[in-house]
Amino acid sequence: MVKVSVLIITYNQHKFIRAAIDSALAQQTTFPIEILVGDDFSTDGTREIIQEYEQKHPGLIIGVLHPYNMGKNGGINCLETLKLAKGEYYALMDGDDYWTDPLKLQKQADLLDAHPDYSTVFNNALITYEDGSPSHLLNGPVMKPFYTMDDLIGEDEIWFMATSSTMFRNNIKEYPAWFRESSSGDIPRLILKAKLGKIGYIPDVMSVYRKNRGGASFADNYTDETFLRNRIQMYSDINRELDYRYDRVLRRNIARYYRMMLDAKQYKHSYFRRAQLALKYLYLGKPDWQKTKDVIRNYIVPQPLAKLYSTIRLLPHR
């Protein structure tokens, strides 16, 4: 019986997919695993590479080759691939990442076995950059042995778990409808898992998280209305999912995205729409007086009046 299902989620990553699959094949475990490679209708040769591995490792590697692109930054691809997972646990890996420790799955499964109150476990990861920027560890030395919901909710976006460092209990049979609408699969998934148990941490560096132009991290466009509205909806859905227990904090988090939207390219020449968003930001975020004045001056007061006010201020006093 399969103990751990490995889910490799990919789209147009032919340069990296071999390293991802090879690192899964290199895992040394005392239990059986399966490797499901979910391909979101790649057109760059990724799919053919997956089929090649399927033929070399029948029964171990299973290509989940979707007939069309599902989008949403791979979130739907992941959900549809997960439906086929037979393991008690499942470990996620993005198709442009890879594992560096052949005992990663063994260590993580052992921790979940030893702690029935854990829903998830993650390890430290090395972040590397396509542009040659210096590599660095995601997490520093000061980390806790486990994390709870309180650690995941903040006025800013909290991120200290690389996707490819995680292993989860396969204990959510049906994900809520709002989960499918989010362009970020990681944040909602961790929230849902934190509702079911603690999130354990292993400090060993066992994963590499590549930041490259084809990766999901570069699709997060903080000057794009569509992305920002998706984030607002996601945190609103999380707020409702958690029965508004973190309402004050999440409202301030949501306000951040309304503030970013004031500079979105779609609103560059739209005074009335920006003014409405500015009022929404002030209502939700309740910023300090200086930030409030700046927003009123730059986004709510019509520019001709703002210029007139500035001119009057500069006139010599008599």
Side-chain angles (χ1 to χ4, degrees), residues 113-130:
D113 285 345
H115 295 275
D117 57 330
Y118 286 12
S119 68
T120 305
V121 59
F122 71 105
N123 57 261
N124 204 352
L126 180 70
I127 302 179
T128 65
Y129 296 87
E130 181 188 48

Side-chain angles (χ1 to χ4, degrees), residues 222-251:
Y222 288 91
T223 62
D224 179 70
E225 178 196 14
T226 302
F227 171 79
L228 296 171
R229 286 200 180 277
N230 190 276
R231 273 294 198 268
I232 289 169
Q233 187 61 53
M234 179 189 78
Y235 280 110
S236 299
D237 290 334
I238 287 172
N239 201 7
R240 186 177 65 252
E241 179 73 29
L242 300 180
D243 297 321
Y244 301 98
R245 295 196 307 276
Y246 300 88
D247 184 61
R248 183 191 65 80
V249 175
L250 285 173
R251 282 161 69 93

Side-chain angles (χ1 to χ4, degrees), residues 196-215:
L196 300 176
K198 300 171 184 174
I199 298 175
Y201 177 62
I202 297 175
D204 301 358
V205 180
M206 302 192 286
S207 311
V208 168
Y209 169 41
R210 297 193 215 238
K211 284 208 168 189
N212 63 83
R213 288 292 167 187

Side-chain angles (χ1 to χ4, degrees), residues 144-201:
K144 300 194 294 187
F146 65 83
Y147 292 82
T148 66
M149 187 71 77
D150 289 348
D151 299 302
L152 303 183
I153 302 294
E155 295 183 7
D156 205 335
E157 197 155 282
I158 295 174
W159 184 74
F160 53 89
M161 287 178 248
T163 304
S164 302
S165 74
T166 54
M167 180 183 284
F168 305 93
R169 291 189 191 276
N170 193 2
N171 56 359
I172 298 180
K173 299 308 175 187
E174 188 66 36
Y175 281 78
W178 65 266
F179 180 93
R180 289 179 165 266
E181 296 306 314
S182 172
S183 61
S184 169
D186 289 338
I187 296 169
R189 182 182 300 106
L190 290 168
I191 294 297
L192 294 173
K193 289 296 181 180
K195 288 181 67 176
L196 300 176
K198 300 171 184 174
I199 298 175
Y201 177 62

Side-chain angles (χ1 to χ4, degrees), residues 14-28:
H14 75 281
K15 292 193 297 184
F16 308 112
I17 192 63
R18 290 185 186 277
I21 297 175
D22 286 341
S23 72
L25 287 171
Q27 290 296 300
Q28 301 169 14

Side-chain angles (χ1 to χ4, degrees), residues 276-291:
Q276 289 176 331
L277 292 170
L279 291 172
K280 190 81 171 179
Y281 162 68
L282 295 175
Y283 171 71
L284 290 172
K286 296 179 172 53
D288 61 40
W289 178 233
Q290 185 57 53
K291 290 180 180 177

